């Protein structure tokens, strides 16, 4: 089966650091993605991990452990505009079917002043 | 450059009717995927098309069908609409190879009454 788990909601304070965890069990693995989705808008790409380790991109970092089926998204120096839903997604198949992602339910992050 | 464009943005149908949703990918992208996103959930994979051929199908009934045209635009068709088909339908385009991140359109919000 395909299963991706992430917390439903999180709250953090402006300027702080927050870590959003994601665990997955999928029939195959060909990369893990994090997307940001503001209410009523399209998901936008944040990060991609296919090898174990940390990928850093500005205030956002993403970590992957394939042996543990685990990833996290780290957001630093939180801003009010970071209030959004954060979607963890796994690509289970390789080339030829790269358009298929399995998404978690999303984590709604609320940043408070 | 234009991103992924979808039409219509909003529509209301009644049970039993048929709907056609349209998507134009980013210029140069040959892969188009369709997702259904119910309120409060992550997107669910419906179809992927690449070079006008179906490359993947999610767990959706035969009432759902799609096709891709020579210019790589795509249509999603849903027959015999049910109340449960009310959702945001997202189209995503991608390049084959590399990370192949998906770029999402703003979606078509379908309400079935």
């Amino acid at each position: 089966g395909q299963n991706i788990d992430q917390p439903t909601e999180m709250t953090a304070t402006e300027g702080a650091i927050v870590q959003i965890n994601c665990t997955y069990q999928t029939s195959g693995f060909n990369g893990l993605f994090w997307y940001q989705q503001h209410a009523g808008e399209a998901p936008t790409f944040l990060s991609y991990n296919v090898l174990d380790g940390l990928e850093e991109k500005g205030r956002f970092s993403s970590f992957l452990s394939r042996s543990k089926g685990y990833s996290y998204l780290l957001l630093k120096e939180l801003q009010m505009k970071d209030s959004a839903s954060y979607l963890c997604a796994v690509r289970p198949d390789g080339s030829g079917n790269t358009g298929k992602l399995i998404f978690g339910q999303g984590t709604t992050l609320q940043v408070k002043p | 450059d234009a991103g992924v464009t979808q039409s219509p943005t909003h529509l209301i149908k009644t049970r039993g009717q048929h709907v056609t949703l349209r998507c134009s990918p980013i210029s140069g992208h040959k892969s188009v995927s369709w997702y259904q996103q119910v309120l409060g959930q992550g997107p669910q994979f419906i179809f992927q098309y690449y070079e006008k051929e179906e490359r993947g199908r999610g767990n959706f009934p035969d009432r759902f069908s799609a096709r891709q045209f020579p210019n790589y635009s795509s249509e999603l068709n849903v027959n015999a609409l049910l109340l449960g088909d009310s959702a945001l339908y997202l189209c995503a385009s991608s390049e084959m190879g590399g990370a192949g991140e998906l770029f999402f359109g703003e979606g078509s919000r379908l309400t079935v009454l």
Side-chain angles (χ1 to χ4, degrees):
Chain A
Q2 319 273 38
N3 193 47
I4 297 179
D5 287 320
Q6 49 181 132
T8 305
E9 294 180 346
M10 297 184 71
T11 302
T13 304
E14 191 176 16
I17 299 173
V18 70
Q19 177 174 313
I20 303 174
N21 296 322
C22 171
T23 58
Y24 64 90
Q25 288 179 303
T26 55
S27 57
F29 182 84
N30 197 44
L32 186 142
F33 295 79
W34 284 95
Y35 279 83
Q36 180 191 63
Q37 186 175 28
H38 285 98
E41 298 183 9
T44 54
F45 170 78
L46 289 177
S47 69
Y48 169 71
N49 295 71
V50 68
L51 299 176
D52 290 352
L54 187 68
E55 294 283 341
E56 297 186 82
K57 189 186 294 185
R59 294 189 299 115
F60 293 69
S61 303
S62 57
F63 172 82
L64 174 67
S65 169
R66 288 172 296 170
S67 62
K68 296 182 179 178
Y70 169 70
S71 173
Y72 67 73
L73 179 69
L74 194 71
L75 292 77
K76 304 175 185 175
E77 301 170 13
L78 280 173
Q79 302 175 7
M80 298 299 292
K81 68 178 182 179
D82 296 330
S83 293
S85 178
Y86 291 85
L87 299 162
C88 173
V90 169
R91 173 175 286 151
D93 300 329
S95 61
N97 198 14
T98 55
K100 177 181 178 181
L101 297 184
I102 309 298
F103 282 86
Q105 66 178 16
T107 298
T108 300
L109 173 66
Q110 185 178 16
V111 180
K112 294 186 174 180
Chain B
D1 285 342
V4 178
T5 57
Q6 293 187 242
S7 63
T9 54
H10 296 80
L11 67 166
I12 299 173
K13 294 284 188 178
T14 56
R15 281 177 295 176
Q17 285 190 312
H18 161 93
V19 69
T20 297
L21 307 177
R22 296 177 176 84
C23 171
S24 292
I26 291 172
S27 178
H29 286 189
K30 300 180 179 179
S31 174
V32 170
S33 302
W34 287 95
Y35 287 79
Q36 180 195 65
Q37 187 175 25
V38 175
L39 196 62
Q41 300 294 318
Q44 261 198 296
F45 174 74
I46 310 175
F47 287 110
Q48 181 197 359
Y49 277 78
Y50 175 67
E51 289 284 15
K52 302 178 288 297
E53 290 187 3
E54 182 183 301
R55 291 298 189 97
R57 172 185 286 256
N59 189 24
F60 280 81
D62 292 343
R63 300 185 295 109
F64 288 76
S65 63
R67 55 180 175 167
Q68 187 176 32
F69 299 98
N71 66 354
Y72 304 109
S73 66
S74 178
E75 281 184 356
L76 176 69
N77 294 283
V78 187
N79 293 323
L81 285 167
L82 303 174
L83 296 180
D85 295 331
S86 296
L88 180 67
Y89 288 86
L90 294 164
C91 173
S93 76
S94 60
E95 296 176 294
M96 299 298 271
E101 67 261 35
L102 302 188
F103 295 85
F104 285 88
E106 296 293 327
S108 294
R109 183 162 297 282
L110 170 65
T111 301
V112 182
L113 301 176

